[in-house]
Amino acid sequence: MGQPKVSIITLSAVLLCFLLMFASEMQITEAKHCRKHSKSWNGKCFHKKCNHWCMKNEDADYGNCSHGDCYCYNHC
């Protein structure tokens, strides 16, 4: 009767390990973004406006200012 309990515990531990590995790989792949200079932004960059501009007009995930220029970020 002791043998089935060990098998269930072992199976549960292996399943948990696979789930944790799968979840960590998903986070790694989702974190990769490529940066491109905005094609249509003019003037000084303001973070909130750049972010909104990139998402609305350039179909990006988000936008951010760097050295006064607006950059749009998409999944690579």
Side-chain angles (χ1 to χ4, degrees):
M1 198 161 219
Q3 187 69 18
K5 289 182 182 179
V6 173
S7 297
I8 291 172
I9 292 171
T10 304
L11 180 62
S12 299
V14 170
L15 181 61
L16 180 63
C17 287
F18 279 120
L19 290 174
L20 289 173
M21 287 180 359
F22 179 73
S24 66
E25 281 192 31
M26 294 255 317
Q27 290 175 352
I28 291 170
T29 57
E30 290 177 10
K32 292 182 181 179
H33 283 89
C34 293
R35 176 175 104 161
K36 290 186 179 180
H37 194 269
S38 174
K39 299 173 188 171
S40 55
W41 180 269
N42 290 321
K44 187 176 179 181
C45 187
F46 298 97
H47 173 69
K48 286 185 181 181
K49 289 184 178 182
C50 173
N51 185 43
H52 180 72
W53 181 269
C54 286
M55 290 190 306
K56 183 179 177 188
N57 298 318
E58 300 195 20
D59 198 32
D61 295 325
Y62 66 95
N64 200 359
C65 299
S66 179
H67 303 288
D69 293 326
C70 180
Y71 289 90
C72 300
Y73 293 81
N74 290 308
H75 289 291
C76 296

